Amino acid sequence: MGGIFGTIAVKSCVDDVFYGTDYNSHLGTKRAGMVTFDREKGFTRSIHSLERNYFRSRFEDELESFVGNQGMGVISDTDPQPIIINSHLGRYAVATVAHITNLREIADELLQKRMHLSEMSANTINQTEMVALLINMGNTFVEGINNVFKKIEGSCSMVIITEDGMIAARDFLGRTPLVIGQKDGAYAVSSETTSFPNLDYKTVRDVGPGEIVRLRADGMEVLQGPRERQQICSFLWVYYGFPTSTYEGINTEDVREKNGIMMGKEDDTPADLVCGIPDSGVGCALGYAEGKGIPYKRAVLKYTPTWPRSFTPGNQSRRNLVAKMKLIPNKAILNGKRVVFCDDSIVRGTQLRDNVRTFFECGAKEVHARISCPPLVYGCPFIGFTSSKSDLELITRRIIKDFEGDDKKNLEKYATTGTPEYNRMVEEIGKRLGLTSLKFSKIEHLIESIGLPKCKVCTHCFDGSSYCHEHDND
């Protein structure tokens, strides 16, 4: 996915940019960049790979080279960014949290107009540069940003550092978040409200879907008001979001616990204890324990001293080993027990199958899985929350293909809780993972836990429902 933190202040912003960006590190694992702007010295920028390092360790030694009272950092799972541009709109730097699925088509159109793409990474188009080119086609930043919204398919939120303040523009349908913070002498915008408290910012409000605001050290100006239509990604609360973060004023950990309580209350499966797969399964497990009235135990822990975040080796077998290395079961708690464990989702199922096997090897009598979101039946075309290149990488779709001979057949029935097709698919997933039983959260429970109307939450990956015509008028 990715995350952005930007700030503009009456004094140096460098420390806030550095630490504020670091609080977005859980949102991406590939690259990071920092940029600051000083009216005399101009832009200072640095970009590094995060695939074998952490944000702080890559940028800490460079901090003295950054100067300015406005700047931003970005954690990116896509392209090297921020991009620095000199155009008829002036000098500016732009960073995006984006997943643009029609990148090639837009590039071909621009190339026909003799607009060149120079920032090529691993022979792919840098989508942030593409966004900058589309912005430059406008007579103003607002016009250019709306050009981005009209052209792209997928999603795009952005922050722009200009010579006249910082501009924040949230995705046309609000699929990814941007939240504004404020303290004496400074404003900030971040993908995660977790960035704010320790830097003394108070959360002001969310940037609305399609809204464009300009921030200066002494105030905020709305350049374009928000749209009514919204499709914020439900996976922010299920998986992506840090537990202390809020989106639309709704706290991530609170949603996970509410969802777990509902799952626990209606589950009649006998069990001795519940545990959460760290980190994103813990909130659901705490709620489940409360709802079902059984103890929460730390039966599996994440080894944080050397595995604090994702690490991506070059081959699949080593990636599988790394995933296993991070989680350590506690045999003293598991031995002889009927264990329920909560996890955020099942994508391919590889890691979960290994966890189940390990639990049984540690002496668990029964291993039950409770998943805090519905089955992932549809691939995500909007933010690309998994690295899957094909829907057939989803365990659900492979099973549907085995059952139907066609992985696209009867998808609506398989996605609907309680149908014979749904029940058969869930039972088969449980068998393939070696589970004693498997249950998923109902989509109704997830929406109730979030507390927004379903029409404002994207649940496409669960039920295939989302606005396809993103650029229709409200």
Side-chain angles (χ1 to χ4, degrees):
M1 186 178 167
I4 300 176
F5 179 91
T7 186
I8 182 167
V10 295
K11 57 183 181 180
S12 172
C13 69
V14 176
D15 286 347
D16 281 7
V17 171
F18 176 65
Y19 290 109
T21 304
D22 187 64
Y23 278 122
N24 285 266
S25 290
H26 60 287
L27 294 173
T29 63
K30 290 188 178 179
R31 298 181 181 91
M34 268 182 65
V35 63
T36 55
F37 177 72
D38 178 79
R39 195 159 292 278
E40 292 184 3
K41 297 186 177 180
F43 288 100
T44 303
R45 181 187 68 167
S46 182
I47 297 172
H48 290 293
S49 168
L50 296 182
E51 292 187 275
R52 284 167 176 79
N53 293 93
Y54 313 115
F55 176 81
R56 284 199 307 275
S57 63
R58 293 310 305 261
F59 288 86
E60 194 165 19
D61 292 341
E62 299 177 344
L63 288 186
E64 297 304 317
S65 66
F66 288 95
V67 291
N69 72 326
Q70 62 174 319
M72 65 179 164
V74 58
I75 304 291
S76 177
D77 261 347
T78 53
D79 8 282
Q81 50 172 320
I83 298 293
I84 299 175
I85 300 294
N86 192 12
S87 75
H88 70 97
L89 297 172
R91 295 178 296 170
Y92 68 90
V94 56
T96 66
V97 173
H99 180 67
I100 302 173
T101 58
N102 61 334
L103 207 57
R104 184 73 263 169
E105 293 90 331
I106 298 173
D108 290 343
E109 179 183 330
L110 295 179
L111 288 170
Q112 287 177 3
K113 295 178 181 179
R114 298 190 177 184
M115 297 180 68
H116 298 160
L117 296 160
S118 59
E119 190 73 45
M120 303 293 285
S121 303
N123 296 316
T124 61
I125 297 166
N126 185 312
Q127 61 183 3
T128 303
E129 184 190 18
M130 176 74 73
V131 166
L133 289 179
L134 294 174
I135 290 172
N136 292 343
M137 294 174 71
N139 293 315
T140 65
F141 278 109
V142 171
E143 189 176 303
I145 291 166
N146 280 310
N147 192 41
V148 176
F149 291 155
K150 290 172 185 175
K151 287 283 189 183
I152 71 161
E153 294 174 8
S155 66
C156 180
S157 294
M158 68 187 85
V159 175
I160 304 171
I161 301 294
T162 78
E163 296 173 287
D164 184 27
M166 182 171 63
I167 296 173
R170 187 174 172 188
D171 173 66
F172 201 60
L173 288 174
R175 295 192 187 278
T176 52
L178 284 177
V179 189
I180 296 168
Q182 190 265 335
K183 65 179 178 180
D184 289 343
Y187 272 85
V189 63
S190 179
S191 300
E192 292 281 271
T193 59
T194 295
S195 297
F196 293 154
N198 288 344
L199 295 174
D200 297 326
Y201 290 92
K202 305 294 184 186
T203 299
V204 175
R205 68 173 179 87
D206 292 77
V207 180
E211 186 177 16
I212 305 171
V213 299
R214 185 186 348 246
L215 302 174
R216 298 186 179 94
D218 59 353
M220 174 174 57
E221 176 187 6
V222 176
L223 302 180
Q224 176 172 287
R227 292 163 48 89
E228 177 62 29
R229 184 178 290 180
Q230 180 172 341
Q231 286 282 275
I232 185 169
C233 176
S234 56
F235 240 71
L236 288 162
W237 290 283
V238 171
Y239 169 71
Y240 270 124
F242 195 77
T244 59
S245 280
T246 63
Y247 316 102
E248 310 303 322
I250 300 166
N251 175 254
T252 300
E253 185 74 354
D254 188 49
V255 169
R256 292 172 184 172
E257 289 190 13
K258 285 178 179 176
N259 195 26
I261 288 171
M262 284 187 273
M263 292 183 73
K265 282 184 175 179
E266 70 170 21
D267 192 353
D268 58 3
T269 304
D272 300 310
L273 62 95
V274 59
C275 68
I277 301 295
D279 292 307
S280 49
V282 172
C284 179
L286 288 167
Y288 183 96
E290 180 180 341
K292 190 168 176 59
I294 62 174
Y296 174 85
K297 299 282 188 179
R298 295 204 295 172
V300 61
L301 291 111
K302 187 175 181 179
Y303 190 73
T304 57
T306 55
W307 303 106
R309 65 191 304 273
S310 296
F311 174 79
T312 311
N315 63 70
Q316 184 61 49
S317 63
R318 199 165 294 153
R319 284 196 293 271
N320 292 341
L321 177 59
V322 165
K324 182 178 180 181
M325 291 291 292
K326 288 193 294 183
L327 297 178
I328 302 178
N330 191 334
K331 185 174 182 178
I333 291 177
L334 291 166
N335 191 32
K337 297 295 192 297
R338 298 168 298 177
V339 180
V340 175
F341 71 85
C342 295
D343 205 353
D344 56 78
S345 60
I346 301 177
V347 182
R348 298 170 184 85
T350 306
Q351 186 175 343
L352 203 55
R353 184 169 56 245
D354 291 341
N355 291 338
V356 173
R357 185 187 308 116
T358 300
F359 282 13
F360 278 120
E361 289 172 353
C362 287
K365 287 169 60 179
E366 298 175 2
V367 179
H368 307 271
R370 300 296 178 260
I371 307 301
S372 60
C373 71
L376 300 171
V377 176
Y378 298 83
C380 176
F382 304 117
I383 69 168
F385 68 82
T386 77
S387 58
S388 299
K389 302 296 188 293
S390 163
D391 286 351
L392 275 173
E393 291 188 42
L394 300 173
I395 190 171
T396 54
R397 294 295 278 267
R398 296 198 303 272
I399 287 172
I400 292 169
K401 184 176 182 181
D402 290 345
F403 287 167
E404 304 283 356
D406 180 354
D407 76 292
K408 299 179 180 64
K409 188 174 180 180
N410 293 326
L411 290 185
E412 185 175 351
K413 293 179 180 178
Y414 284 101
T416 303
T417 306
T419 63
E421 290 82 1
Y422 173 95
N423 291 338
R424 185 186 179 201
M425 176 185 69
V426 171
E427 183 179 357
E428 181 64 20
I429 295 172
K431 286 180 181 177
R432 294 190 184 189
L433 299 183
L435 288 159
T436 308
S437 76
L438 169 65
K439 292 183 181 180
F440 291 85
S441 174
K442 297 176 181 177
I443 197 164
E444 297 82 6
H445 286 177
L446 178 59
I447 293 299
E448 184 179 344
S449 302
I450 293 170
L452 291 173
K454 186 176 185 299
C455 63
K456 290 186 174 291
V457 181
C458 183
T459 57
H460 180 87
C461 50
F462 312 130
D463 61 5
S465 71
S466 186
Y467 295 118
C468 296
H469 302 291
E470 299 192 17
H471 312 309
D472 289 351
N473 293 325
D474 285 329

